[in-house]
Structure formats: C-alpha cells, structure tokens
Amino acid sequence: MKAASSSLRAAFSHCVLQVRSYDYHHYLCLLELPANMRKAAFALRAFNVETARAMDVASDPKIGLMRLLWWQEAIDKIYANKLIEHPTAQALSSVISESKISKAWLKRVVNARINDANRDVIDLPESIEELEKYAEDTASTLLYMTLQAGGIKSTAVDHAASHVGKASGLLLLLKSLPYHASRNRHFSYIPAKVAAKHGLLVKEGGRSEIRLDSREGLCDAVFEMASVANAHLVKARELANSVPVEARKALLPAVPAQVLLDSLSKVQFDVFDSRLARGVLGKPPLWFQLKLKWYSWRGIY
C-alpha cells in the first residue's frame, strides 16, 4: 500500500514537471486553481503535453503516430481498471477514479491529435473554422475536463470555456508557425482561404502550397486569424457575470491567450519576430506572473 502511494506521488510529480517544462504559462495558471481541481488539472495537462508533443519528439512521423495510438489504447485500459506502467497514465487513472472524467472527452483530444498527425504537411485546412474545431477538440476539451474534476456544472461556464479554448488553441497554432516551417518548410496551419486572400497561396502540380514571397501578406494572414481568437476572448468575457465564482480560476488560460495576442500586436503580427520567444509569451516572466496573480485575486479572466 505504501509503495503504491509512493508510486502515485511520483506519478503526479512527473506530471507537474512535464507541464512546467513544456507548457509553462499554463503551469502558472494551474497553480492558481483550488486544491480540488489542481491535482486533476496537472494530470490532464500532462496528458495534453504527451499527446501534443508526440509528433514533435519522434524521429519518424510513424513513431509519433504509434505513440498517439498507444494513448488511445491506454485510455481504454484505464477505464477497464488495468494497470499501465507510465507515470502520466497512472496519475490520469487516479484522477479518473476520483473525478469520473468523461472517457469521450479524453478520446476526443487523442483523436484530434491523430487526425492532425495523419494530415499531410502540404494538406492545408480549408478554413479557420477547421482550426477552431481542432482547438475546441483539444484546448476547450481540456477545460471541460478540468471543470468536471472540480464538480462544476454550468452551461454558461461551458460556453465560456469553449471560447477560451478556441482562442488559446488558435493563438498557440500561430505562435508555432515558425517552428513547423523550420521542421518541414510548410505553413500547415494557415487555412487555404486565408492564404489565398492575402496572396500567399500558389498551386503546383495540382496541389496548393503557401509561399512566403510577402512577409506583409503573412502578417495580414496572422492578423486575420488572431482577430478570430480575439473575438472568442471577447465572447468569453461577456459571459463572465454568468460564470460561477468557483469556476473562474479554471478559465485563467484566457490570460496567457490575451498576453500572446498583445505580444503579436506589438510586433505587427510578425510571427518570426524574435521578441515573441522572450520570457513568457514575449513578456518578462515576473510581469506575466504578477498579471496572472492580479486576475486570479480579482476573480476575473
């Protein structure tokens, strides 16, 4: 019994370390959560880190996809009460048994990652709506599960969480554009309609591809997508008075989303500007922490 307890503590410590290392701005958000949500939130965020990074850390895309398929099977095993020798899976299993997290939501996150992994890097999403759906199935769904772990049931908070997740997901995709371009020389997260509108789309051999002949065109495309994210943040905040007080800290990811939006605006939406890589989302770490604390203390997001 003592060994099992020690193993579980180690599993949760692993989750905290994973989130702190690879999703620092959300790590700071989770520290503000009440205790009844915090443990579950770290396990869920660590699960997100595992699935989000699966393709990036793999030397071969097939290996990354196998990792995602492993997580798909792991979820089935967790709900069948089977032991899995993986720290994040162990922590997740504990959280599921305590909080009755919806299996469908966990599956939705993994399936969204698998569908994205299966997409060829030169297959562009057709519209921003496709990326909004991806953000809903990943970032928004993480918020739904965190709220479920805290026992919070509210239509208003679900609507607000949907908007916060979509904003956060879209903005993080924008921030990742230079990374993906450096890996495979493609801007696979700029929708074809947006790229065509701003003169970035060329057709070769019957396939559409984004070309960076115009940095101005790229900035305009990023601005258009960022404007959609901003609209989601505005809608989320319009719902604030209807959101239960105990749920508001779970929506603190709206703060880093707004910070990233402001940082993009400061560099005229040039995702290649080196200032975006400084500190936390382009801002000094202490400034970011104080801002987050201020929002948390005031009970706003």
Side-chain angles (χ1 to χ4, degrees):
M1 189 74 179
K2 193 174 181 181
S5 176
S6 175
S7 174
L8 197 54
R9 278 199 302 273
F12 277 104
S13 294
H14 170 82
C15 290
V16 172
L17 187 61
Q18 286 288 94
V19 179
R20 190 176 194 272
S21 299
Y22 300 110
D23 194 3
Y24 186 65
H25 56 280
H26 284 133
Y27 163 80
L28 294 174
C29 290
L30 299 194
L31 293 180
E32 298 301 317
L33 289 175
N36 67 325
M37 272 197 238
R38 195 184 311 130
K39 189 168 81 165
F42 270 114
L44 290 166
R45 281 281 167 188
F47 160 72
N48 185 58
V49 166
E50 292 274 358
T51 55
R53 297 184 70 241
M55 297 301 292
D56 295 335
V57 298
S59 56
D60 183 317
K62 289 179 182 176
I63 295 173
L65 185 57
M66 284 172 62
R67 193 69 185 157
L68 290 170
L69 292 171
W70 181 90
W71 271 107
Q72 199 176 45
E73 291 178 8
I75 292 168
D76 288 329
K77 288 180 180 177
I78 288 170
Y79 281 88
N81 296 317
K82 293 180 180 177
L83 181 65
I84 302 174
E85 294 296 333
H86 186 287
T88 303
Q90 287 174 353
L92 203 55
S93 180
S94 172
V95 164
I96 287 165
S97 65
E98 289 176 13
S99 307
K100 304 294 182 278
I101 301 293
S102 169
K103 181 181 179 180
W105 279 340
L106 285 164
K107 285 276 193 172
R108 181 193 287 180
V109 173
V110 180
N111 289 340
R113 303 290 190 199
I114 290 171
N115 290 339
D116 187 52
N118 277 325
R119 183 168 63 89
D120 195 304
V121 291
I122 57 175
D123 287 340
L124 301 175
E126 187 62 27
S127 64
I128 292 179
E129 285 78 13
E130 284 185 40
L131 295 181
E132 286 179 288
K133 172 73 166 57
Y134 180 63
E136 167 72 23
D137 289 347
T138 52
S140 298
T141 302
L142 274 175
L143 296 178
Y144 299 150
M145 291 189 286
T146 303
L147 290 161
Q148 188 179 43
I152 296 166
K153 295 179 181 178
S154 159
T155 303
V157 77
D158 285 346
H159 285 164
S162 175
H163 288 302
V164 170
K166 284 175 182 173
S168 179
L170 284 173
L171 288 163
L172 289 174
L173 285 177
L174 289 176
K175 185 175 181 291
S176 73
L177 286 175
Y179 169 77
H180 289 292
S182 68
R183 272 176 67 92
N184 52 45
R185 301 183 306 283
H186 290 284
F187 285 81
S188 48
Y189 292 110
I190 295 180
K193 286 182 181 177
V194 175
K197 181 179 175 182
H198 299 290
L200 299 173
L201 201 65
V202 294
K203 294 201 173 183
E204 280 189 8
R207 305 201 77 155
S208 298
E209 206 172 303
I210 289 176
R211 288 288 172 83
L212 275 187
D213 298 330
S214 166
R215 183 65 70 91
E216 184 183 350
L218 176 62
C219 292
D220 289 343
V222 170
F223 172 76
E224 182 174 339
M225 294 170 68
S227 297
V228 174
N230 182 59
H232 282 297
L233 286 177
V234 170
K235 287 174 183 173
R237 290 183 179 129
E238 285 173 352
L239 292 162
N241 290 334
S242 304
V243 172
V245 173
E246 64 271 20
R248 291 178 189 172
K249 289 189 178 183
L251 300 181
L252 279 174
V255 177
Q258 185 65 59
V259 168
L260 180 51
L261 190 61
D262 293 343
S263 293
L264 281 167
S265 179
K266 188 175 181 181
V267 298
Q268 287 77 50
F269 299 92
D270 181 359
V271 290
F272 283 94
D273 194 299
S274 61
R275 285 173 288 179
L276 290 174
R278 295 177 189 167
V280 180
L281 304 174
K283 299 292 183 183
L286 181 59
W287 179 94
F288 179 85
Q289 289 179 50
L290 290 173
K291 183 181 180 74
L292 191 62
K293 283 280 185 189
W294 174 245
Y295 272 71
S296 176
W297 180 72
R298 291 182 64 201
I300 59 175
Y301 57 85

